[in-house]
Amino acid sequence: MQVKELQSVFSFEKVVIHALAPNLYQVSVMMDGEEVFLLDGKGKFLTSHNKQDLQELFKDKQVGAMVLRHQSAYDEMVGQPTRESTNCLEVPIGTL
């Protein structure tokens, strides 16, 4: 979904701010049970070094939940076997 399309959508089930690295974030939204990443004007994943900038995109929207998601590479780094389930942490955060 292009970021400019946000203007025409007023309600989201869930907004996910993905923590990729220290101070690097991407954003996806859940709509009709499907997770969709936001893209910039050039068709690339929308990223920011400030998670509040991404939260600000939804300040006038109805959001069921907003979370910060981090997927850890720790198991892989210490030689643990591949998990059958995800190694993901989601923390609820508020909207601005």
Side-chain angles (χ1 to χ4, degrees), residues 19-20 70-83 85-89:
L20 303 177
H70 175 71
Q71 190 158 0
S72 176
Y74 179 77
D75 288 342
E76 180 181 319
M77 293 186 316
V78 296
Q80 294 292 320
T82 304
R83 290 178 179 233
S85 62
T86 182
N87 189 5
C88 182
L89 173 67

Side-chain angles (χ1 to χ4, degrees), residues 18-53:
H18 300 265
L20 303 177
N23 296 323
L24 182 60
Y25 305 94
Q26 286 179 339
V27 64
S28 64
V29 295
M30 293 290 291
M31 294 174 39
D32 300 323
E34 183 179 344
E35 187 171 6
V36 179
F37 279 87
L38 291 184
L39 306 175
D40 64 15
K42 298 177 182 178
K44 296 183 179 187
F45 287 110
L46 180 65
T47 60
S48 177
H49 292 287
N50 183 339
K51 75 174 183 57
Q52 290 178 332
D53 288 345

